[in-house]
Amino acid sequence: MTGHQLGTERISRLFVAMTIPMVLQQLLLLLNSVVDRIWIAHIPDVGQVAFTASGVCVPIIYIILALAELTGTGITPRVGRMLGQARHDQAERTLGSMLAFSLSLAFVTLLVVEGGAPGLVRLFGASSQTAAMAKCYLRYSTPGNVLCMVSGMLAPFLLVQGHSRQAALVMGSGIVLNMVLDPIFIFLCGWGIAGAAWATTVAETTSALLAVVMICRVGSLRIRRSHFRLAWRYVCPCLALGAAPMVMMLAETIQIGVYNHTLSRLSGDVGIGTMALVIMLHDFLYFPVYGMAYGSQPVTSYNLGAGNRERVRANVRLLLTATLVWSMAVWTVMMLLTGPVVRLLVGNGPMADYAVPMVRLSFAVFFVATLQFACQSTLQAMNRAALTFWLGLTRSLLLLVPLVWMLPRLLSGRADRGVFLAQPVTDVVVGTVTLTILFVSLRNIRAQAKLNEHKGKQKEQVI
């Protein structure tokens, strides 16, 4: 799919062509995470303890992935608009500057996490039983996780040029390799939880190297030595657009920390492990929404830059419809089959018995949460950086964290249930606000299009 086709091809065909590879990429990415955790949960004798230990590392890994969001997600709308306006040289300079920034950020992050691993796992809820495993998993997986900043930054440059298959291949290669290496390293080599971490590092290194190769081989944008430097006038606008998703993930890190500390007091390691399971399920079942939202962003940003406002509206309508259909299907399955799903992932035992009602509660308004994400992603593609920033901050820090503290006190008879109820309540409030803002924005776009058309007709009459 070329940049020209983003402005001329039929919207429904564009939506399929751009989103299916990204949906498959997200499926592989999240399937990799789920499979990784399932293998860990089934390590002989220590499986559920190891699963909880890997859950302790989740907020720390989210910090790293949040930095990857900062470097990666702002590129698509920024560079998409540049290409729509035929500013090719500035797009290439943005590529060189963002690559230099991502490599520098990855190196600093690696040093900080490796040096601070013992204190970090304790900070995020590790007990005397899980601390050693959590520290091992974190230290061995961090080199691979920081390289997501490189591959996650380069893949959007392929996507925004219409090379969605190559972008999916960059991310998918590491994911498939990780899933292949997991059972080999964990069971055949006998490395246990360390094997899962090493599989991540080997796979993400491969993905980052392939991303560099693909950028050099396909597309019109190239990594040029003269552009490989930190030019803040190209870096800062991308970071501004990536700040909202970064803040969302950092806020999720804080909320998971609050979850873990609250649950360690109310229900111990069983509660922490259940919350890790809830987070894993939510992340995985979001995969089509992530793929559709990110895949449709170049279409929205390109046509907005080119002034094709009706195409923007048509693309957004299609995104919201597809998101609603998927999320209602997931909601139905999770309400009816919660028990079999939980036991498939973590086996039988006290943790599974505890988790079933909590998982069902957490999925109560899943369809609202997915629509909120699709709306926020669309606003990001429309270059509404400040707005998406505040929406992300409001959801996670200003609403959810206070509710995690408040609801257990209101539900004193079953205080731990209040921790799992906080997210559905937050999703209803923020989802309603975000959907309203998007509809107002689309209405304004339509009004502007009609005004421009009216002015054009007036000019024709004068001539």
Side-chain angles (χ1 to χ4, degrees):
M1 192 68 63
T2 65
H4 175 70
Q5 287 176 297
L6 294 178
T8 58
E9 185 64 78
R10 193 171 63 191
I11 288 293
S12 58
R13 184 175 297 176
L14 263 180
F15 186 84
V16 172
M18 296 296 288
T19 61
I20 285 183
M22 296 304 294
V23 168
L24 294 176
Q25 171 198 324
Q26 291 295 321
L27 172 61
L28 286 174
L29 178 64
L30 295 165
L31 182 62
N32 169 56
S33 174
V34 170
V35 170
D36 189 57
R37 305 287 291 281
I38 292 175
W39 287 126
I40 290 173
H42 288 82
I43 295 174
D45 301 324
V46 296
Q48 292 195 352
V49 176
F51 182 87
T52 301
S54 66
V56 168
C57 296
V58 166
I60 306 167
I61 294 171
Y62 270 27
I63 294 174
I64 300 172
L65 297 181
L67 296 175
E69 291 285 309
L70 174 68
T71 59
T73 57
I75 290 171
T76 299
R78 177 70 178 172
V79 176
R81 177 166 285 197
M82 287 179 180
L83 294 178
Q85 297 171 345
R87 294 186 290 159
H88 184 274
D89 181 67
Q90 291 188 27
E92 271 198 352
R93 291 179 184 275
T94 301
L95 169 59
S97 296
M98 286 301 298
L99 180 58
F101 179 83
S102 298
L103 287 170
S104 302
L105 184 60
F107 180 71
V108 171
T109 304
L110 177 63
L111 294 180
V112 170
V113 175
E114 292 288 347
L120 287 171
V121 297
R122 287 288 186 182
L123 177 65
F124 287 100
S127 65
S128 57
Q129 190 178 15
T130 59
M133 283 187 178
K135 182 174 68 174
C136 171
Y137 183 78
L138 182 63
R139 277 186 163 162
Y140 293 148
S141 64
T142 296
N145 287 326
V146 297
L147 285 174
C148 289
M149 298 179 197
V150 178
S151 58
M153 186 279 300
L154 291 176
F157 278 96
L158 293 167
L159 181 64
V160 80
Q161 297 173 81
H163 299 294
S164 53
R165 293 181 181 177
Q166 288 81 356
L169 179 62
V170 165
M171 307 305 291
S173 60
I175 294 161
V176 172
L177 183 58
N178 194 3
M179 287 193 290
V180 171
L181 292 178
D182 264 332
I184 296 173
F185 287 176
I186 294 173
F187 299 108
L188 294 183
C189 295
W191 295 349
I193 195 171
W198 276 115
T200 296
T201 292
V202 172
E204 293 302 337
T205 301
T206 302
S207 181
L209 292 174
L210 183 61
V212 174
V213 171
M214 284 295 178
I215 283 288
C216 293
R217 291 188 60 183
V218 303
S220 57
L221 300 180
R222 292 288 185 267
I223 301 173
R224 304 187 188 277
R225 184 179 300 177
S226 59
H227 297 162
F228 185 68
R229 58 188 179 86
L230 278 174
W232 293 106
R233 65 194 183 103
Y234 297 112
V235 171
C236 289
C238 292
L239 299 186
L241 290 170
M246 180 195 71
V247 168
M248 288 179 67
M249 292 204 72
L250 288 178
E252 286 186 34
T253 300
I254 296 173
Q255 75 191 41
I256 293 171
V258 174
Y259 283 151
N260 288 352
H261 280 287
T262 305
L263 289 169
S264 67
R265 175 173 51 85
L266 297 175
S267 52
D269 285 344
V270 171
I272 294 175
T274 297
M275 181 55 72
L277 175 63
V278 166
I279 293 168
M280 182 181 74
L281 279 169
H282 271 269
D283 286 347
F284 176 69
L285 293 172
Y286 259 86
F287 79 88
V289 180
Y290 288 140
M292 290 185 294
Y294 292 142
S296 67
Q297 273 189 339
V299 182
T300 297
S301 58
Y302 184 97
N303 284 285
L304 193 62
N308 300 326
R309 292 176 172 83
E310 285 303 317
R311 291 176 61 81
V312 171
R313 288 171 53 83
N315 187 57
V316 173
R317 282 196 300 267
L318 194 53
L319 170 63
L320 295 183
T321 301
T323 297
L324 184 60
V325 169
W326 167 258
S327 58
M328 287 302 299
V330 169
W331 180 84
T332 303
V333 170
M334 291 306 299
M335 292 299 104
L336 298 177
L337 301 174
T338 315
V341 171
V342 168
R343 290 180 173 84
L344 173 66
L345 297 177
V346 298
N348 294 310
M351 181 175 158
D353 296 336
Y354 177 89
V356 169
M358 301 304 181
V359 170
R360 185 178 290 117
L361 179 62
S362 71
F363 274 88
V365 292
F366 181 75
F367 49 92
V368 177
T370 53
L371 282 174
Q372 190 271 334
F373 179 83
C375 292
Q376 187 162 324
S377 176
T378 300
L379 289 169
Q380 183 188 18
M382 296 165 67
N383 281 327
R384 303 292 298 274
L387 178 59
T388 54
F389 175 87
W390 284 109
L391 285 171
L393 186 66
T394 297
R395 180 191 181 278
S396 295
L397 292 184
L398 302 183
L399 279 177
L400 197 147
V401 169
L403 285 173
V404 171
W405 176 85
M406 182 176 65
L407 289 178
R409 286 162 174 78
L410 296 177
L411 302 173
S412 56
R414 189 67 189 275
D416 53 346
R417 190 177 292 270
V419 178
F420 293 90
L421 182 63
Q423 182 171 324
V425 173
T426 302
D427 287 335
V428 169
V429 175
V430 179
T432 302
V433 172
T434 308
L435 190 63
T436 301
I437 292 173
L438 179 61
F439 282 164
V440 171
S441 298
L442 292 174
R443 187 178 63 187
N444 291 341
I445 286 175
R446 186 176 186 180
Q448 184 64 43
K450 289 183 176 180
L451 179 61
N452 292 342
E453 182 181 354
H454 180 68
K455 289 181 178 179
K457 289 181 179 179
Q458 287 182 330
K459 288 183 180 179
E460 290 178 359
Q461 291 175 354
V462 171
I463 292 174

